[in-house]
Amino acid sequence: MTNPNPRWEFSIMKYLMLVCTDPDFKPGQDDGAPDVEDWVTEMDGKGIRLMGNRTRPAADATTVRVRNREVLLTDGPYAETKDQMAGFDILECADLDEAIEVASKHPMAWGGMIELRPFWPDDED
């Protein structure tokens, strides 16, 4: 019997795809960036994108730390960087090469940046 989904024939890896803005980027009228809705439709249709969403601006972030059993809160993001996370997606890909291909098709890769982080497998220490 043939497997109806060829993606199941290899070991799948999960990646967290952090979608980040670049406040210095000035989009051109025809920069060639794809439409985000088209990207979502394509990746959902292929079963690669498991979920994703936009995030509130960095100014709405709260950073939580515990030091000496005391909970310390800071308004805003922990990292002071120009690039700020704008959203995330969880991907299932065969390997890093496929994850890079998927990320390169996201519109924010054209005017911001995409960070890919593999999930730590449960069976590894």
Side-chain angles (χ1 to χ4, degrees):
M1 176 194 247
T2 305
N3 186 338
N5 187 344
R7 293 180 53 74
W8 295 341
E9 294 178 7
F10 48 81
S11 177
I12 297 290
M13 295 182 63
K14 286 186 181 167
Y15 290 86
L16 174 63
M17 186 176 90
L18 297 173
V19 179
C20 302
T21 63
D22 178 356
D24 295 332
F25 176 74
K26 305 290 187 253
Q29 288 221 326
D30 185 19
D31 62 5
D35 180 77
V36 71
E37 294 301 324
D38 292 342
W39 182 89
V40 168
T41 300
E42 178 184 352
M43 298 310 151
D44 285 356
K46 291 180 176 181
I48 292 172
R49 180 180 173 270
L50 301 181
M51 69 170 296
N53 212 328
R54 297 183 304 162
T55 58
R56 299 285 305 163
D60 292 348
T62 301
T63 301
V64 180
R65 294 184 188 91
V66 177
R67 300 294 184 269
N68 297 318
R69 300 182 186 266
E70 181 181 352
V71 177
L72 306 173
L73 303 177
T74 305
D75 291 337
Y78 171 70
E80 291 294 325
T81 65
K82 294 187 308 180
D83 300 320
Q84 296 294 325
M85 185 175 70
F88 72 95
D89 293 280
I90 297 176
L91 310 175
E92 277 191 337
C93 298
D95 52 28
L96 180 58
D97 290 337
E98 183 181 24
I100 291 169
E101 180 182 342
V102 169
S104 71
K105 293 180 179 179
H106 192 283
M108 195 58 80
W110 296 64
M113 68 166 225
I114 304 289
E115 180 176 333
L116 294 168
R117 294 241 187 138
F119 281 33
W120 198 295
D122 291 335
D123 58 351
E124 289 184 15
D125 289 330

